[in-house]
Amino acid sequence: DAKTTQPPSMDCAEGRAANLPCNHSTISGNEYVYWYRQIHSQGPQYIIHGLKNNETNEMASLIITEDRKSSTLILPHATLRDTAVYYCIVRGGGTSYGKLTFGQGTILTVHP
Amino acid sequence: NAGVTQTPKFQVLKTGQSMTLQCAQDMNHEYMSWYRQDPGMGLRLIHYSVGAGITDQGEVPNGYNVSRSTTEDFPLRLLSAAPSQTSVYFCASSSKRGAKSDEQFFGPGTRLTVL
């Protein structure tokens, strides 16, 4: 699975959009981009995933560049409860199913 | 559904002791995994299973054994505990059947200290 690079930390004001970047320049054609978050040492929680199209669900939006070498997770209206470590993960299909390779993630702090 | 459950929540062991961390899921998921998380680090895969009777090693398997005799349970055994195994252990499960994503569901974790 391709490696990912994320900034170690970011801040965001409550109510504003939080934009978390991720670089995955060695991603291959069949690899998906996943985002998970971990709130205060709880088990990680799935947020969203995508292959090449932009995706949106009730939690967030995922924007993937056309060359797929980077992506951005957008939390449209951040709240204090969104303070967490956010992990960007690239995962292949087939035998990689059920396995995730975590980096160190981005610590997002949402402040009042 | 209870989701993914793990016991115990906390455990303290002495070097050389053995123990089993329990993990169970009630979602009929075929994939189950064990991860460990050291302070300030991301999770690392220890062992995983793609179904009952089938297990394989992850990134950091040494010192751990697993078995998968049922779909629901995936215990992790520490054979002879060492201080380097002090960590938080997470179990996760997922299913490929009818799923649009490999959404893994994580348990609450077991915090293990080896003295």
Side-chain angles (χ1 to χ4, degrees), chain A residues 4-7 10 19-24 32-38 44-50 57 59-64 70-75 85-91 100 102 105-106 108, chain B residues 102-104:
Chain A
T4 61
T5 303
Q6 299 176 251
M10 295 184 66
N19 298 298
L20 290 87
C22 179
N23 285 328
H24 31 79
Y32 289 78
V33 180
Y34 284 80
W35 284 84
Y36 281 74
R37 72 180 183 184
Q38 187 175 26
Q45 175 191 25
Y46 167 85
I47 301 173
I48 199 167
H49 82 291
N57 63 21
M59 290 181 68
S61 294
L62 174 60
I63 308 298
I64 302 174
S70 65
S71 60
T72 301
L73 177 75
I74 301 173
L75 307 178
V85 181
Y86 287 78
Y87 296 101
C88 169
I89 298 166
V90 170
R91 201 222 74 201
L100 295 173
F102 288 80
T106 296
L108 174 68
Chain B
D102 183 15
E103 176 182 354
Q104 293 206 11

Side-chain angles (χ1 to χ4, degrees), chain B:
Chain B
N1 284 355
V4 179
T5 58
Q6 292 184 236
T7 56
K9 287 187 169 57
F10 300 92
Q11 183 70 49
V12 178
L13 293 178
K14 294 182 180 178
T15 297
Q17 287 184 315
S18 63
M19 79 159 295
T20 300
L21 308 185
Q22 301 292 343
C23 174
Q25 52 92 8
D26 61 359
M27 297 172 283
N28 200 29
H29 284 172
E30 62 270 38
Y31 295 89
M32 295 187 76
S33 307
W34 275 103
Y35 297 85
R36 62 176 286 176
Q37 185 173 32
D38 299 330
M41 305 289 289
L43 282 71
R44 291 184 292 170
L45 183 67
I46 306 171
H47 285 286
Y48 68 99
S49 169
V50 301
I54 306 170
T55 63
D56 206 346
Q57 295 180 351
E59 181 186 353
V60 287
N62 292 341
Y64 307 95
N65 273 358
V66 292
S67 60
R68 183 104 180 265
S69 56
T70 68
T71 300
E72 295 78 19
D73 300 299
F74 191 42
L76 178 73
R77 281 183 290 277
L78 279 70
L79 308 174
S80 176
S84 60
Q85 294 179 303
T86 293
S87 191
V88 181
Y89 292 84
F90 290 101
C91 179
S93 75
S94 62
S95 175
K96 202 172 187 179
R97 289 190 298 266
K100 295 182 181 178
S101 72
D102 183 15
E103 176 182 354
Q104 293 206 11
F105 294 83
F106 284 82
T110 294
R111 282 144 184 83
L112 175 69
T113 301
V114 182
L115 303 175

Side-chain angles (χ1 to χ4, degrees), chain A:
Chain A
D1 298 334
K3 288 194 181 298
T4 61
T5 303
Q6 299 176 251
S9 63
M10 295 184 66
D11 287 337
C12 178
E14 190 176 21
R16 305 296 293 269
N19 298 298
L20 290 87
C22 179
N23 285 328
H24 31 79
S25 58
T26 61
I27 193 169
S28 60
N30 67 342
E31 290 183 316
Y32 289 78
V33 180
Y34 284 80
W35 284 84
Y36 281 74
R37 72 180 183 184
Q38 187 175 26
I39 297 173
H40 191 55
S41 300
Q42 297 175 13
Q45 175 191 25
Y46 167 85
I47 301 173
I48 199 167
H49 82 291
L51 182 61
K52 51 185 176 182
N53 297 324
N54 297 338
E55 302 287 345
T56 294
N57 63 21
E58 65 278 4
M59 290 181 68
S61 294
L62 174 60
I63 308 298
I64 302 174
T65 57
E66 194 168 341
D67 63 8
R68 304 210 318 126
K69 293 184 176 182
S70 65
S71 60
T72 301
L73 177 75
I74 301 173
L75 307 178
H77 305 287
T79 71
L80 299 179
R81 286 192 299 268
D82 292 321
T83 293
V85 181
Y86 287 78
Y87 296 101
C88 169
I89 298 166
V90 170
R91 201 222 74 201
T95 57
S96 295
Y97 208 96
K99 299 184 284 184
L100 295 173
T101 300
F102 288 80
Q104 296 202 12
T106 296
I107 300 171
L108 174 68
T109 303
V110 181
H111 52 85

